[in-house]
């Protein structure tokens, strides 16, 4: 079951001007490719596509000329200032096939009192069935002590997923922050005197 169905229209105009006209008409230029087929240039409904892309690794059902194609977004080009979606690359997928995708790591819970945690890796690459791609990986750090290092291999993966990233890759480290030693006035005076002598 696809996460979202989008009705696309074929594009036969290309270039920046054509893309601008599409966006003014609340549509987003996109290309469908993969599985040995020639790339198909399409226009997608703007608002519906933008909302669908908020979900990581969403499965799209693209309806074009009465024919339905399953796809996932492989690349989304966003205009940096106005945050407008300029173009979407859609990879055609088939039911039952496995593909590799980047999945964000969501850290939950609090490490042991007096410690802090640092997220070293924001995403892990996983392989999963194209029609059942995970949108996130949850890592519970509740009670983890100073010195704990969580590697990719230690993370519990969603059902049906396998790890593609290096299993030794560090995801989270837990440590106790060390306070900087407070310099006394006498030490500061000694240092100042030593600087003057030098």
């Amino acid at each position: 079951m696809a996460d979202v169905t989008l009705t696309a229209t074929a594009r036969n105009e290309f270039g920046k001007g054509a893309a601008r006209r599409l966006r003014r008409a609340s549509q987003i230029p996109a290309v469908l490719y993969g599985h040995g087929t020639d790339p198909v240039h399409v226009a997608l409904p703007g608002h519906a596509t933008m909302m669908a892309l908020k979900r990581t690794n969403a499965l799209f059902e693209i309806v074009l000329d009465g024919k339905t194609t399953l796809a996932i977004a492989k690349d989304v080009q966003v205009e940096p200032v106005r945050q407008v979606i300029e173009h979407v690359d859609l990879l055609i997928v088939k039911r039952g096939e496995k593909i590799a995708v980047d999945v964000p790591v969501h850290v939950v819970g609090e490490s042991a009192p007096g410690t802090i945690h640092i997220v070293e890796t924001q995403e892990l690459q996983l392989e999963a069935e194209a029609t059942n791609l995970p949108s996130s990986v949850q890592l519970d750090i509740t009670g983890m002590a100073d010195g704990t290092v969580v590697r990719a291999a230690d993370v519990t993966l969603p059902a049906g997923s396998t790890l593609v990233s290096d299993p030794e890759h560090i995801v989270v480290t837990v440590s106790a922050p060390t306070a900087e030693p407070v310099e006394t006035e006498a030490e500061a005076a000694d240092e100042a005197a030593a600087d003057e002598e030098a």
Side-chain angles (χ1 to χ4, degrees):
M1 180 72 184
D3 297 310
V4 63
T5 300
L6 297 174
T7 301
T9 52
R11 276 195 298 143
N12 48 26
E13 280 191 315
F14 304 99
K16 288 185 177 179
R20 272 197 297 270
R21 283 193 292 278
L22 272 180
R23 287 193 289 272
R24 276 201 297 271
S26 298
Q27 292 186 303
I28 296 173
V31 63
L32 267 168
Y33 70 96
H35 280 278
T37 62
D38 289 332
V40 178
H41 298 272
V42 298
L44 300 174
H47 183 70
T49 304
M50 182 186 71
M51 296 306 290
L53 288 170
K54 289 181 183 293
R55 185 184 185 280
T56 306
N57 297 328
L59 180 66
F60 291 84
E61 200 171 61
I62 306 295
V63 180
L64 178 65
D65 297 333
K67 183 185 170 190
T68 300
T69 304
L70 292 177
I72 63 164
K74 273 310 259 186
D75 186 49
V76 181
Q77 294 171 24
V78 179
E79 197 277 320
V81 178
R82 291 177 298 138
Q83 292 296 297
V84 174
I85 297 172
E86 294 195 319
H87 191 273
V88 181
D89 286 358
L90 295 165
L91 175 67
I92 297 169
V93 297
K94 303 287 185 190
R95 292 187 191 283
E97 79 168 314
K98 290 202 166 189
I99 60 172
V101 289
D102 293 327
V103 180
V105 176
H106 288 171
V107 176
V108 297
E110 294 290 336
S111 53
T115 64
I116 58 170
H117 73 274
I118 296 172
V119 180
E120 307 280 359
T121 301
Q122 303 283 348
E123 291 181 327
L124 289 175
Q125 192 171 52
L126 307 181
E127 188 179 70
E129 200 168 309
T131 52
N132 188 28
L133 296 174
S135 57
S136 67
V137 173
Q138 199 168 81
L139 173 59
D140 190 349
I141 62 165
T142 301
M144 287 186 179
D146 175 26
T148 301
V149 177
V150 181
R151 290 182 164 80
D154 303 323
V155 177
T156 301
L157 302 180
S161 301
T162 54
L163 184 67
V164 177
S165 297
D166 180 354
E168 290 300 308
H169 205 72
I170 295 173
V171 180
V172 167
T173 56
V174 178
S175 61
T178 53
E180 289 291 321
V182 178
E183 189 174 64
T184 65
E185 284 184 30
E187 285 172 334
D190 288 345
E191 279 185 25
D195 287 344
E196 283 175 16
E197 287 173 12

